[in-house]
Amino acid sequence: MNALDKTLPLIKAFIEKFDRPPIMGVRAPGRVNLIGEHTDYNMGFVFPAAIEKEIRIVASPISAPELRIYSMNFDESVTVPLTDIRPSKDKSWSNYIAGVADELIKSGYNPGGCEMLVWGDIPIGSGLSSSAAMEVAAACLFRRLFNLSDISDRSLALLAQKAENNFVGVNCGIMDQFISMMGWDNHALLIDCRTLNAMLVPMPRRGEISIVICDSNIRRKLTGSEYNRRRLECEEGLNLLKKQFPTITALRDVLPGMWEEVEHTIPDPIRKRCRHVIYENQRALDGAEALENNDLEFFGELMKLSHISLRDDFEVSCPELDCLVRAAWGVEECCGSRLTGAGFGGCTVSIVKNEGIEKFKKRLTENYVKEFSIEPNFIVSQAASGASLLRIPSAIPAF
Ligand code: GLA
């Protein structure tokens, strides 16, 4: 299917809804994190890739100062007055767009009104960053539609993160919005979450391996819950460690050698949380180097260590994810597997040789159904490109 084939149904639905064609369209992808979990808000390193699942928005400006948003997935409409933007309780999907408009206004910009149609194929709430993709798509759309071209991609990703922090109320780090904006076809991105410098690393063995995402279908509740608690625990750890290392400003500054000297002085569970972050940070760096060197075996080992650390030290796994990962580790064609994203449910990520994908799916499904009577879902993807404009044909074909 070419890109336009995917856009035409959205244009058609837009015309049906708003009685005229859209003039602009954007897409922003979801993401999978290959390694480097819960390190972003500790100013450390992450190593995600954008995936071939995305949010698309098509839109046209209007003179009224309001956003008229229609979600094709929910078949619901919301009108957001730009002069009085408030979070919606019952149509929470719209908050990711309204929140971006709100942040733009707070930053001194002046987005105008528009009619928008939103569509996506990223499973919602599964930890593949459908919310970040929606924020990034909205941010790119507003930038283009209202000539805010002085905002760089980097600043726009930060603004989208602020929308999630301030408007949606999830105190997330920068990883999801950054990769959705900056992803690159067939590459993963090593991001330094302190400086926001990033390095593209080609996915090895093009055409021979795939990223296989397995959705446990266990939905996690991020807002205000365990995620925010883990952040606080990391801050507590940082404050304790500052007593011994006064110059550090984030857990990222504590290298494994430094940690080993003082680990015994930190009480549990803070000790375990810090230990995860400090070694995971190193694993993200080592992982990027391993992929760059085509060393999938070492990369797989690092993924396994990452999962064990998330399970035992950071305590964000769950029996369902552990079952899927254990099954994956037993498949010969699987190079590595771990939980991905915040945890508490959601998805696992595995690197699998293409010839073994069917066997992999079968094995995970059998084990999972046997243990939990739940069918998992799979997404097989290559690393995809970050947000981009959609081609909207000036002459719309007759439908
Ligand atoms: C969520 C957050 C990210 C990151 C991951 C854990 O996806 O949105 O910022 O903290 O969890 O690595």
Side-chain angles (χ1 to χ4, degrees), residues 31 33 36-41 46 127 129 170 172-177 220 222 227 341-342:
R31 66 98 188 90
N33 190 15
E37 219 65 84
H38 291 276
T39 43
D40 62 350
Y41 53 83
V46 291
S129 295
V170 180
C172 66
I174 186 60
M175 169 168 69
D176 306 345
Q177 290 79 6
R220 70 220 158 95
L222 259 185
Y227 182 86

Side-chain angles (χ1 to χ4, degrees), residues 3 24-29 54-57 133 136-137 140-141 143-144 153 180-183 384-391:
M24 188 158 294
V26 290
R27 55 164 282 285
E54 60 194 19
I55 298 286
R56 289 182 170 221
I57 305 181
V136 168
C140 291
L141 183 95
R143 175 170 65 179
R144 181 73 180 197
D153 285 354
S180 181
M181 183 72 87
M182 307 286 195
S385 61
S388 57
L389 294 175
L390 295 173
R391 194 163 78 78

